[in-house]
Short mmCIF file of all heavy atoms in Angstrom, two decimals:
data_model
loop_
_atom_site.label_atom_id
_atom_site.label_comp_id
_atom_site.label_asym_id
_atom_site.label_seq_id
_atom_site.Cartn_x
_atom_site.Cartn_y
_atom_site.Cartn_z
N MET A 67 0.89 -1.20 -0.05
CA MET A 67 0.07 0.00 0.07
C MET A 67 0.83 1.23 -0.09
O MET A 67 1.06 1.90 1.01
CB MET A 67 -0.93 0.06 1.30
CG MET A 67 -1.85 1.10 1.22
SD MET A 67 -3.25 0.83 0.07
CE MET A 67 -4.05 -0.58 0.77
N VAL A 68 1.45 1.47 -1.18
CA VAL A 68 2.35 2.62 -1.17
C VAL A 68 1.68 3.81 -1.84
O VAL A 68 1.88 5.04 -1.39
CB VAL A 68 3.61 2.25 -2.03
CG1 VAL A 68 4.47 3.46 -2.26
CG2 VAL A 68 4.35 1.18 -1.22
N THR A 69 0.97 3.59 -2.91
CA THR A 69 0.31 4.76 -3.41
C THR A 69 -0.87 5.20 -2.58
O THR A 69 -1.21 4.56 -1.62
CB THR A 69 -0.21 4.38 -4.90
OG1 THR A 69 -1.22 3.42 -4.67
CG2 THR A 69 0.91 3.90 -5.68
N GLY A 70 -1.46 6.28 -3.00
CA GLY A 70 -2.76 6.67 -2.26
C GLY A 70 -2.60 7.98 -1.58
O GLY A 70 -3.62 8.60 -1.40
N TYR A 71 -1.54 8.46 -1.24
CA TYR A 71 -1.36 9.86 -0.80
C TYR A 71 -1.57 10.80 -1.91
O TYR A 71 -1.22 10.54 -3.00
CB TYR A 71 -0.16 10.11 -0.01
CG TYR A 71 1.19 9.80 -0.86
CD1 TYR A 71 1.60 10.90 -1.67
CD2 TYR A 71 1.85 8.65 -0.82
CE1 TYR A 71 2.79 10.59 -2.42
CE2 TYR A 71 2.90 8.43 -1.61
CZ TYR A 71 3.37 9.41 -2.34
OH TYR A 71 4.52 9.23 -3.13
N SER A 72 -2.17 12.02 -1.52
CA SER A 72 -2.49 12.81 -2.62
C SER A 72 -1.39 13.71 -3.06
O SER A 72 -0.66 14.34 -2.34
CB SER A 72 -3.62 13.77 -2.11
OG SER A 72 -3.06 14.61 -1.07
N SER A 73 -1.31 13.79 -4.36
CA SER A 73 -0.36 14.68 -5.02
C SER A 73 -0.80 14.97 -6.36
O SER A 73 -0.98 14.20 -7.19
CB SER A 73 1.14 14.13 -4.97
OG SER A 73 1.88 14.90 -5.80
N ASP A 74 -0.91 16.36 -6.59
CA ASP A 74 -1.46 16.73 -7.83
C ASP A 74 -0.61 16.44 -9.07
O ASP A 74 -1.03 16.28 -10.21
CB ASP A 74 -1.84 18.15 -7.91
CG ASP A 74 -0.69 18.99 -7.12
OD1 ASP A 74 0.30 18.37 -6.87
OD2 ASP A 74 -0.83 20.15 -6.99
N THR A 75 0.59 16.18 -8.84
CA THR A 75 1.52 15.81 -9.96
C THR A 75 2.12 14.41 -9.79
O THR A 75 3.05 14.08 -10.46
CB THR A 75 2.62 16.86 -9.99
OG1 THR A 75 3.34 16.82 -8.73
CG2 THR A 75 2.14 18.25 -10.36
N MET A 76 1.59 13.75 -8.98
CA MET A 76 2.10 12.39 -8.64
C MET A 76 2.24 11.54 -9.88
O MET A 76 3.28 10.83 -10.03
CB MET A 76 1.33 11.73 -7.52
CG MET A 76 2.12 10.82 -6.73
SD MET A 76 1.08 9.67 -5.78
CE MET A 76 1.36 8.30 -6.75
N ASP A 77 1.23 11.48 -10.73
CA ASP A 77 1.20 10.51 -11.79
C ASP A 77 2.46 10.71 -12.56
O ASP A 77 2.91 9.62 -13.20
CB ASP A 77 0.02 10.91 -12.61
CG ASP A 77 -0.14 12.35 -12.86
OD1 ASP A 77 0.53 13.17 -12.24
OD2 ASP A 77 -0.95 12.72 -13.69
N THR A 78 3.11 11.82 -12.71
CA THR A 78 4.20 12.06 -13.62
C THR A 78 5.48 11.75 -12.85
O THR A 78 6.54 11.63 -13.52
CB THR A 78 4.29 13.45 -14.17
OG1 THR A 78 4.52 14.28 -13.04
CG2 THR A 78 3.02 13.83 -14.84
N LYS A 79 5.42 11.64 -11.57
CA LYS A 79 6.73 11.57 -10.84
C LYS A 79 6.85 10.44 -9.94
O LYS A 79 7.93 10.19 -9.32
CB LYS A 79 6.88 12.93 -10.03
CG LYS A 79 6.99 14.01 -10.90
CD LYS A 79 7.12 15.33 -10.10
CE LYS A 79 7.11 16.58 -10.80
NZ LYS A 79 7.08 17.78 -10.01
N SER A 80 5.81 9.66 -9.73
CA SER A 80 5.83 8.63 -8.78
C SER A 80 6.91 7.56 -8.87
O SER A 80 7.27 6.89 -7.94
CB SER A 80 4.45 7.94 -8.49
OG SER A 80 4.13 7.41 -9.71
N GLU A 81 7.34 7.46 -10.13
CA GLU A 81 8.37 6.36 -10.28
C GLU A 81 9.67 7.04 -10.93
O GLU A 81 10.29 6.42 -11.57
CB GLU A 81 7.78 5.38 -11.24
CG GLU A 81 7.07 5.92 -12.46
CD GLU A 81 6.47 4.84 -13.27
OE1 GLU A 81 6.22 3.81 -12.74
OE2 GLU A 81 6.21 5.03 -14.46
N ARG A 82 9.89 8.32 -10.50
CA ARG A 82 11.10 8.97 -10.96
C ARG A 82 12.24 8.31 -10.43
O ARG A 82 12.21 7.82 -9.23
CB ARG A 82 11.13 10.42 -10.56
CG ARG A 82 12.39 11.14 -10.81
CD ARG A 82 12.31 12.59 -10.84
NE ARG A 82 11.40 13.19 -10.00
CZ ARG A 82 11.49 13.38 -8.76
NH1 ARG A 82 12.52 12.94 -8.10
NH2 ARG A 82 10.53 13.98 -8.00
N ALA A 83 13.32 8.17 -11.05
CA ALA A 83 14.44 7.51 -10.61
C ALA A 83 15.25 8.34 -9.62
O ALA A 83 15.38 9.64 -9.79
CB ALA A 83 15.40 7.15 -11.76
#
Side-chain angles (χ1 to χ4, degrees):
Chain A
M67 187 74 65
V68 168
T69 63
Y71 55 85
S72 67
S73 171
D74 41 6
T75 55
M76 209 196 104
D77 47 349
T78 66
K79 296 179 184 173
S80 56
E81 45 184 23
R82 173 161 31 78

